[in-house]
Amino acid sequence: MIGSQDEALKLELKQLIIEECDKDIEPQEISDDEILFGSDTKLELDSMDALQISMALHKKYGIDANDSKKLRKIMVSINTLADHIQPE
């Protein structure tokens, strides 16, 4: 997949998550393949964060924010998000 190879896109996604979820962390501190959601993760994102992120992704990239099963699959990590946005 091309998205996970696009460093600019991945940085943009990290910044979007940080801003939308009001996290006090630098983008460089987020690994491209680390799990984004859960209490035992660095970001500790929860379902409310997922909603905020999904709405921002819909607005910025046109990602369908109504399909929660699909969103769970693509919002696993920065790499999975980037690959969904830029698949080929």
Side-chain angles (χ1 to χ4, degrees):
M1 301 283 220
I2 292 177
S4 58
Q5 297 173 8
D6 186 337
E7 295 302 322
L9 174 60
K10 292 190 291 186
L11 177 61
E12 193 173 278
L13 290 169
K14 291 174 186 181
Q15 290 170 330
L16 179 139
I17 291 169
I18 290 167
E19 290 171 16
E20 290 298 321
C21 301
D22 196 29
K23 296 294 180 179
D24 188 24
I25 189 170
E26 293 298 318
Q28 312 79 278
E29 296 177 60
I30 303 171
S31 168
D32 295 341
D33 59 353
E34 76 181 71
I35 303 298
L36 297 174
F37 291 88
S39 59
D40 58 343
T41 63
K42 187 183 299 181
L43 290 172
E44 298 181 342
L45 299 177
D46 59 20
S47 58
M48 291 304 292
D49 295 317
L51 180 60
Q52 287 179 268
I53 295 167
S54 67
M55 297 308 290
L57 291 171
H58 175 72
K59 184 177 180 182
K60 186 163 184 124
Y61 302 104
I63 292 175
D64 182 11
N66 295 321
D67 188 344
S68 62
K69 288 182 182 182
K70 182 179 179 180
L71 283 171
R72 276 189 222 119
K73 288 181 183 180
I74 66 169
M75 292 193 337
V76 172
S77 70
I78 296 298
N79 281 335
T80 58
L81 268 171
D83 281 341
H84 181 76
I85 291 168
Q86 209 170 333
E88 298 177 23

